[in-house]
Amino acid sequence: MAKALQGFLWPMLLLFCAIQELGSWALHTAVEGPGLGEPGDPALLAGGRVKRGWVWNQFFVVEEYTGTEPLYVGKIHSDSDEGDGSIKYTISGEGAGTIFLIDEITGDIHATERLDREQKTFYTLRAQARDRQTDQLLEPESEFIIKVQDINDSEPRFLEGPYIGSVAELSPVGTSVMQVMASDADDPTYGSSARVVYSVLEGEQHFTVDSKTGVIRTAVADLDRETQDRYEVVIRATDMAGQLGGLSGSTTVTIVVTDVNDNPPRFPQKMYQFSIVETAPVGTAIGRVKAEDSDVGENTDMTYQVKDEEGVEMFKVTTDSNTQEAVITVQKPLDYESKKVHTVVVEALNKFVDPRFVDLGTFRDQTIVRVSVLDVDEPPEFRPPSNLMEVQEDAHVGSVVGVVTALDPDTANHPVRYAIDRSTDAERIFDIDAKTGAIVTGKVLDRETAGWHNITVLAMEADNHSQVSRASLRIRILDVNDNPPELATPYEAAVCEDAKPGQLIQTISVVDRDEPQSGHRFYFTLAPEATNNHHFSLLDIQDNTAAVHTQRVGFNRQEQDVYLLPILVVDSGPPALSSTGTLTIRVCGCDSNGAIQSCNSTAYVVSATLSPGALIALLVCVLILVVLVLLILTLKRHHKSHLTSEDDEDMRDNVIKYNDEGGGEQDTEAYDMSALRSLYDFSEIKAGDGGGGPGEGGPGRNPASELHALPQWVQSPDLDFSVFRDYICRKVEQADEDLSVPPYDSFQTYAFEGSDSPVPSLSSINTWSSGSEQDFSYLGGWGPRFRQLAALYAGRRGDEDSEES
C-alpha cells in the first residue's frame, strides 16, 4: 500500500518542486556596492555598480526517490556568468561530491543517492563561483540548505509494548483501564503523515479506545473475574488521520480483571462428623472444616466461630491463617458416660466485606459438626479431691489420719485398690489400707522434726494395675506441748563490786520448739534451791522475758567471785512444762563510770580483752611459722640426700685424672696413689684373691674371668697388681650389665710401678716395638664394649707372628 501511495504522490511532488524552483531559485537581485561579499574584496571591486544574484533560499528534494536518473535538486547562478564557461561553480559541505554533484559550468545540482528524511532531514552546503582562468572568487561564498521533503513512508509503531493493564471486576461502563500511544516517524509539520488515530480490532465487545488519546475503557459493567479473569485486546493505530491510504500498526493489550469481594463463603457440606476419645486432653484438635470462597487474595480471608451455647462451652474454633480452615479443639474434658454425642454449629464469615456489594447477600455461612465421644477404660478418679489432712504429733502408731476415696468412672465400675508411692514416703511414716483407702501412721510423729508431709496416693483398678491415677496429699502434723522452754543462750553476766541494790544485771529470754495456736506465754521464777538467795532478784516482765537485779550493796571478789543463779521457766501448756536454767554472774572490778576493768576469772578476762577473731589470727600466724620451719628442714634434707646419691651413682667423680708426665722415670712423687687407695677399700678384695699374684691361679678362681694386668714392658715378680685388676674387672662387669648407661668417652686406669722402675717410657708405641710377649686374647671376654679393642690387638699380634716366622 505504501508503494502504491508513493506512485500516486510522485507526480504531484515533482510538479510542486518545479513550481517552487521557478518561483524562488536563481533569483536575480540588483544590489549596489560591494553586495554580499566582504568589503574590499578584489573580486568585487571591478565596478561601482554591479547586479548580483548570489542570494540563496533552501532547496527541496523529495525522499525515497526510486528513479534511475540523478534527481535534479536546483541551480546556482551568478549574474556575471555570460554563458561562455568562464565561471566555475563548486559546492562543499555535507554530502558534497558524494550525494550531491554540481555541474561546474551550468551550476545544476543533482542528488545521486536515495535519501531518507527519517535518518537526516536536511543538508548544509556552501557554494562558490570562481574565475576559471585565475581561480579567483567572483562571488562571496554562500551557505544554503537542501531539505529532504517527507512522504508517508513510516507506519505508526507502539514503542512501549507489550501492554498489561488491570481493571476491577464489576466496574461501571467507561472505567479507564490504561492508555496506549503510538509514534510515527514521518514529519508532523508536513501534511497528515504523522497524524495517528486509534481503534479496537479485537475485544470491542468488552472494551473501547479513545481514537485521539488511546485511553482504553470498559464497554460493559458485568466483567466477572470468576467467569473470565484475562482479556486480550488488539489496538490499531493509523496515520493520515485514518484516511484512505494511511499506514497502520497494531499492538496487543493484556487486561487482567482483578478480584473484589463479591462472593460469600460457602461450606461444601452441611454436616461434618468427627470422633474423639473421652480421655483426650484439653486443646486436642478434633478436626478441620473449610468454607470455599470463589474470590482470591485477602477477599478469601475468613473467621470461624461457634454459634450454639453447648458448643461454646465444650469446644473452641480457631482459624488457620495459612489454609483458612476452621480447627475445632477440645475446650473442656469429655466424658463418655455423661454425653456420647455433641452437636456444634460452626459459622464462617468474610473478614473483609466490601460495602458496595452488601446487597448481593450475606457474606457468611453455617454448618453442623457432630462430635462422637469414644469410650475408653479410664483410671479411677479421686472423690472428693481434697488434698489436706491433719494429725496430732502424739498420735499412736496405727492411728487413722484420714480416708481417700476413688471410683472407677467406667460403666463396669471395677473395684479400686490403693497404695502409697514410696518415692514420696521412703521412711514409711504412713501406710494405707489397700481396700478402704484409710491412711494410718506407721511411725511415731514429731512436728519439731517434720511439720508437713507430702505423699502421693495411687488408685488403680483391682484387675488392671496399668490404670492408675495419682493424688497428692499434704498431711499437717498438729503440735502438742511436748517440749519444755529453755533459756535462749547460756547466759553469763557481770556485776561490779560497788553495785547498788536494784541495779539491772541481765535480761533473760527463752525459746520453745513447740508452736501453740494461741502463742507462747512463759513464766519466770527462781528455782526452789535459790530461795535463800539474798544477793539477786528475778522480775517477770510479762512479755516472755525476765530481768535480774541486785539485792545488796556491793560485792567482794575476794570472798566470792562467781554466783550461780538457777531460774525456773514454765510454759502455758497444756500440759505445762518447765525447765531450769543457770545464770552465771561474775564479780568484777569497775571504774567510776561502771565499766568493767578486771574479773577474777582468767577465761572471762581473756574473753573480755581479746576477741575470738584476734585469737584465730594469732593461731594462724603460729601455724604458718611452724609450716615454714618444717618446709625448710625438709628441703635441706632432700638436697643433702640428693647430693649423696649423685656422688654414689656417678663414678666419674671418683676417678682422678692426671695429664702431666712428671719429671721422668725416677719421679714417683707426681702420682699420688693415696688418693686412689683412699676411695675404695681393697682389703676385702685382696683377701678374696687368696694372696695370688698376677701369674698365679689360686683355687676357686674362674679362668674365664681372670683379668691380666695392663701391658707392662717389664713386670717385677714381687709387685701385686691383683687389686687393680679386680677393681677394673668389677667396673667392667657393672658397665656390661647396665645397658642404660652409655660408655664414657675416657676411662682412666692407674698401674702402680713401684720404686726404681726400669721402664723407659709409658708410651704404647714402644709396647709393639719392644716385642711384648703378652697375650691379649682375654680382651675378647670383656664384652661387646671392648670388641673393637680386642680385634685391634689380635690383628697386631697376628702380624708379629707372621714376621717372626
Side-chain angles (χ1 to χ4, degrees):
M1 183 172 60
K3 297 297 183 181
L5 181 62
Q6 289 180 4
F8 172 78
L9 293 177
W10 268 117
M12 299 291 295
L13 291 174
L14 291 176
L15 179 61
F16 174 78
C17 293
I19 294 173
Q20 193 172 18
E21 287 178 2
L22 293 175
S24 61
W25 291 348
L27 294 178
H28 300 274
T29 305
V31 181
E32 294 182 0
L36 297 178
E38 293 294 335
D41 191 334
L44 302 179
L45 299 178
R49 187 175 183 84
V50 182
K51 290 184 178 180
R52 302 288 178 164
W54 203 249
V55 179
W56 305 103
N57 290 328
Q58 61 182 0
F59 294 150
F60 292 89
V61 59
V62 67
E63 68 170 335
E64 302 296 343
Y65 173 70
T66 58
T68 58
E69 297 295 331
L71 178 63
Y72 179 75
V73 176
K75 183 183 183 67
I76 61 175
H77 184 73
S78 175
D79 289 341
S80 60
D81 187 0
E82 297 178 356
D84 57 358
S86 61
I87 297 178
K88 181 176 68 175
Y89 298 97
T90 61
I91 59 174
S92 62
E94 296 178 332
T98 55
I99 301 176
F100 302 102
L101 298 178
I102 186 170
D103 190 323
E104 294 182 353
I105 298 174
T106 63
D108 294 332
I109 301 174
H110 292 79
T112 62
E113 295 183 8
R114 183 176 179 179
L115 303 180
D116 187 358
R117 192 204 65 83
E118 285 73 31
Q119 294 182 358
K120 190 171 181 64
T121 57
F122 63 90
Y123 296 85
T124 302
L125 295 97
R126 292 177 298 278
Q128 295 178 349
R130 293 178 178 272
D131 186 281
R132 187 177 296 276
Q133 299 296 330
T134 63
D135 199 30
Q136 295 252 343
L137 279 175
L138 301 179
E139 301 285 353
E141 184 180 69
S142 178
E143 184 178 274
F144 64 98
I145 294 175
I146 299 177
K147 188 174 182 180
V148 182
Q149 189 73 44
D150 182 48
I151 64 172
N152 189 18
D153 59 343
S154 298
E155 70 277 4
R157 294 183 179 181
F158 294 91
L159 302 179
E160 298 179 2
Y163 295 91
I164 299 177
S166 62
V167 63
E169 61 177 332
L170 301 180
S171 296
V173 175
T175 301
S176 175
V177 178
M178 65 179 303
Q179 183 181 18
V180 295
M181 185 173 294
S183 62
D184 196 318
D186 292 327
D187 188 359
T189 63
Y190 179 74
S192 300
S193 299
R195 291 182 58 189
V196 179
V197 295
Y198 302 93
S199 61
V200 178
L201 284 182
E202 297 180 11
E204 63 275 7
Q205 301 87 351
H206 302 94
F207 300 95
T208 61
V209 63
D210 189 291
S211 60
K212 295 181 179 180
T213 62
V215 176
I216 302 174
R217 303 179 184 276
T218 57
V220 294
D222 58 350
L223 292 177
D224 188 8
R225 188 202 64 81
E226 289 73 30
T227 303
Q228 185 174 351
D229 62 350
R230 184 183 298 267
Y231 292 89
E232 302 289 340
V233 180
V234 179
I235 304 297
R236 180 175 62 186
T238 306
D239 60 9
M240 297 294 292
Q243 297 177 4
L244 183 63
L247 304 180
S248 64
S250 62
T251 186
T252 300
V253 180
T254 301
I255 300 176
V256 179
V257 181
T258 59
D259 184 58
V260 297
N261 193 8
D262 59 338
N263 293 282
R266 291 289 181 263
F267 283 102
Q269 301 175 215
K270 290 301 180 183
M271 179 177 290
Y272 296 86
Q273 292 190 1
F274 299 101
S275 60
I276 189 171
V277 296
E278 60 177 332
T279 56
V282 173
T284 302
I286 300 174
R288 293 171 174 249
V289 296
K290 182 179 181 181
E292 302 294 341
D293 193 329
S294 301
D295 296 323
V296 294
E298 67 175 11
N299 295 324
T300 61
D301 292 349
M302 60 188 73
T303 58
Y304 298 89
Q305 58 186 5
V306 179
K307 295 299 294 181
D308 59 311
E309 296 181 359
E310 178 191 357
V312 170
E313 182 181 0
M314 298 298 298
F315 303 98
K316 180 182 179 181
V317 176
T318 58
T319 303
D320 189 332
S321 59
N322 295 325
T323 62
Q324 297 300 317
E325 294 177 315
V327 182
I328 306 172
T329 57
V330 179
Q331 186 163 272
K332 291 183 65 177
L334 303 174
D335 187 12
Y336 172 82
E337 288 72 26
S338 300
K339 191 169 185 179
K340 299 178 177 61
V341 178
H342 296 269
T343 302
V344 185
V345 178
V346 179
E347 182 181 65
L349 63 156
N350 276 131
K351 186 181 295 185
F352 307 104
V353 178
D354 195 333
R356 297 177 298 173
F357 308 107
V358 174
D359 55 346
L360 297 179
T362 59
F363 286 80
R364 60 183 63 199
D365 194 20
Q366 293 182 350
T367 187
I368 297 175
V369 178
R370 297 189 62 197
V371 181
S372 300
V373 182
L374 304 179
D375 185 27
V376 295
D377 190 5
E378 299 175 271
E381 295 179 356
F382 286 92
R383 299 177 184 176
S386 175
N387 60 350
L388 177 62
M389 292 184 180
E390 296 179 343
V391 61
Q392 296 284 344
E393 66 173 322
D394 60 349
H396 298 289
V397 175
S399 300
V400 177
V401 179
V403 179
V404 294
T405 303
L407 300 177
D408 186 7
D410 297 324
T411 307
N413 194 16
H414 297 96
V416 179
R417 297 292 180 263
Y418 303 92
I420 293 178
D421 186 354
R422 289 305 172 186
S423 64
T424 61
D425 185 26
E427 299 180 1
R428 296 183 175 271
I429 299 176
F430 301 97
D431 293 322
I432 189 170
D433 189 290
K435 294 183 179 180
T436 63
I439 298 176
V440 298
T441 58
K443 289 185 178 180
V444 176
L445 304 176
D446 185 11
R447 188 203 64 82
E448 288 71 30
T449 302
W452 288 88
H453 294 273
N454 297 320
I455 63 174
T456 300
V457 180
L458 309 179
M460 63 200 79
E461 294 182 3
D463 55 351
N464 185 6
H465 289 181
S466 63
Q467 295 297 328
V468 181
S469 58
R470 300 170 179 266
S472 297
L473 185 62
R474 301 170 65 238
I475 301 176
R476 179 182 180 183
I477 308 302
L478 301 179
D479 184 47
V480 296
N481 193 25
D482 57 349
N483 293 282
E486 299 175 351
L487 293 181
T489 60
Y491 286 102
E492 288 190 5
V495 61
C496 295
E497 288 183 300
D498 57 352
K500 298 178 181 180
Q503 182 176 341
L504 177 63
I505 299 175
Q506 183 69 46
T507 301
I508 304 298
S509 62
V510 297
V511 293
D512 194 336
R513 298 176 61 190
D514 296 322
E515 293 182 359
Q517 296 181 355
S518 59
H520 290 289
R521 179 67 180 93
F522 302 110
Y523 303 94
F524 300 87
T525 183
L526 292 177
E529 57 267 26
T531 54
N532 297 326
N533 168 59
H534 303 291
H535 308 290
F536 306 98
S537 64
L538 181 67
L539 176 62
D540 192 343
I541 306 178
Q542 305 295 325
D543 62 350
N544 293 336
T545 62
V548 179
H549 298 82
T550 59
Q551 277 189 327
R552 53 178 280 188
V553 177
F555 295 87
N556 190 346
R557 284 186 293 171
Q558 303 300 326
E559 296 178 359
Q560 186 176 354
D561 61 346
V562 177
Y563 293 89
L564 300 178
L565 185 64
I567 300 175
L568 179 65
V569 184
V570 184
D571 62 15
S572 58
L577 300 179
S578 64
S579 67
T580 300
T582 301
L583 172 63
T584 301
I585 304 174
R586 301 185 184 277
V587 180
C588 303
C590 304
D591 58 10
S592 59
N593 296 325
I596 297 175
Q597 296 295 320
S598 62
C599 299
N600 284 350
S601 175
T602 303
Y604 188 82
V605 172
V606 172
S607 63
T609 58
L610 193 60
S611 64
L615 288 174
I616 293 174
L618 182 60
L619 291 175
V620 169
C621 292
V622 172
L623 182 61
I624 291 174
L625 289 175
V626 172
V627 170
L628 287 175
V629 171
L630 294 176
L631 181 61
I632 292 172
L633 293 176
T634 304
L635 289 175
K636 284 186 176 181
R637 179 174 298 178
H638 177 71
H639 182 65
K640 196 172 186 179
S641 62
H642 181 67
L643 292 177
T644 304
S645 62
E646 286 183 351
D647 292 342
D648 293 341
E649 292 177 2
D650 194 355
M651 301 306 299
R652 287 178 291 183
D653 295 340
N654 298 327
V655 178
I656 300 174
K657 182 178 180 181
Y658 297 93
N659 293 325
D660 54 320
E661 291 278 344
E665 61 184 28
Q666 301 298 327
D667 185 7
T668 58
E669 299 298 330
Y671 300 93
D672 186 7
M673 303 304 294
S674 62
L676 181 61
R677 294 179 184 275
S678 63
L679 294 176
Y680 299 95
D681 185 10
F682 298 109
S683 60
E684 219 175 275
I685 303 173
K686 189 172 181 181
D689 289 343
E696 297 176 3
R701 181 179 298 274
N702 186 3
S705 62
E706 177 66 28
L707 296 177
H708 300 273
L710 289 176
Q712 300 285 336
W713 295 268
V714 178
Q715 290 190 3
S716 177
D718 58 347
L719 297 180
D720 185 7
F721 294 99
S722 60
V723 174
F724 302 103
R725 286 199 305 269
D726 292 341
Y727 167 70
I728 294 173
C729 182
R730 286 179 57 194
K731 290 305 176 181
V732 170
E733 290 178 356
Q734 291 179 5
D736 288 340
E737 292 174 359
D738 190 359
L739 300 179
S740 63
V741 178
Y744 297 134
D745 293 339
S746 62
F747 189 82
Q748 303 294 333
T749 60
Y750 300 91
F752 181 72
E753 297 187 27
S755 59
D756 298 332
S757 175
V759 177
S761 173
L762 294 177
S763 173
S764 60
I765 300 176
N766 288 337
T767 303
W768 301 105
S769 63
S770 62
S772 177
E773 300 293 337
Q774 189 167 352
D775 185 10
F776 296 99
S777 60
Y778 63 87
L779 294 176
W782 284 15
R785 299 187 182 184
F786 295 90
R787 187 174 301 160
Q788 186 174 359
L789 184 61
L792 181 62
Y793 275 92
R796 295 295 180 90
R797 185 64 181 174
D799 293 341
E800 288 183 3
D801 294 342
S802 62
E803 290 176 2
E804 291 178 0
S805 61

